[in-house]
Amino acid sequence: MPVPPPDEPAGRRTGFAPVVDARTRLLILGSLPGDASLAAAQYYAHPRNGFWRLTGGLIGRDLVDLAYPQRLEALKAAGIGLWDVITTAHRAGSLDAAIRDPEFADLSGLIATLPTLRAVAFNGATAARSGRRTLAGAADGLTLIDLPSSSPAHARPLAEKALAWARLGPFITGRVEGERQDVAP
């Protein structure tokens, strides 16, 4: 696990920069990277997290076997961006329930820089709850989609999660006009 900077108390976790570009049509927001991800300095690094299998299924490409930089490039090429709703927080372990004193990401600021963005998907209940609150009033014209968490702590079969995540498909292909909708799991 990375050593916190001198001004960051032990137990404080800091997430990663957004992975987006001008092609981003769909932004997937998690809550805050878990310990395995922080240690690897990679989004969704825990080997049992289903994120790379779920998104690979959406874009028709095996992302699990790619090196991390190629995974990110494949997502960006498909119009998918990544970030988290929490930039930093105190947390012992990796569970969202242990998050304390969160500082929220400037989601509105990021969204304003993404000209082709049509939808924001929330990877899990904590991301949805915090992200919807953070985006209140700033997501006009965007579809907001709540997804079951890709985390292994969210004990649903991957096939069941994949059915819910399949709702993201039209935003990846670009066949959606971008009308605002709210979609819960």
Side-chain angles (χ1 to χ4, degrees):
M1 171 172 234
V3 176
D7 61 339
E8 190 173 299
R12 188 115 187 128
R13 307 292 195 258
T14 300
F16 309 127
V19 175
V20 295
D21 65 20
R23 301 170 291 178
T24 302
R25 292 183 305 276
L26 169 67
L27 178 62
I28 301 176
L29 298 172
S31 54
L32 180 70
D35 288 347
S37 293
L38 292 170
Q42 298 180 1
Y43 280 102
Y44 304 103
H46 192 289
R48 289 187 16 238
N49 191 301
F51 180 83
W52 297 108
R53 289 183 294 283
L54 292 165
T55 53
L58 290 169
I59 66 172
R61 186 161 180 201
D62 181 5
L63 298 177
V64 174
D65 291 333
L66 294 179
Y68 183 69
Q70 284 75 41
R71 290 178 183 182
L72 297 181
E73 284 306 314
L75 288 184
K76 289 194 298 186
I80 300 172
L82 299 177
W83 205 19
D84 291 304
V85 298
I86 298 169
T87 56
T88 184
H90 286 282
R91 185 182 64 207
S94 295
L95 296 178
D96 285 353
I99 293 173
R100 302 289 180 263
D101 303 316
E103 291 180 21
F104 296 99
D106 181 11
L107 300 178
S108 300
L110 179 66
I111 285 171
T113 69
L114 302 174
T116 61
L117 188 68
R118 298 292 173 260
V120 176
F122 302 104
N123 185 358
T126 298
R129 190 172 41 256
S130 298
R132 283 177 176 274
R133 187 171 42 244
T134 302
L135 283 173
D140 291 338
L142 296 176
T143 299
L144 304 179
I145 304 167
D146 296 356
L147 298 169
S149 175
S150 63
S151 168
H154 185 72
R156 286 171 73 175
L158 189 64
E160 187 178 321
K161 291 179 185 184
L163 288 174
W165 281 61
R167 295 178 290 170
L168 303 180
F171 299 98
I172 296 166
T173 62
R175 294 190 183 138
V176 173
E177 292 299 317
E179 297 173 14
R180 183 186 169 113
Q181 302 173 32
D182 287 319
V183 184

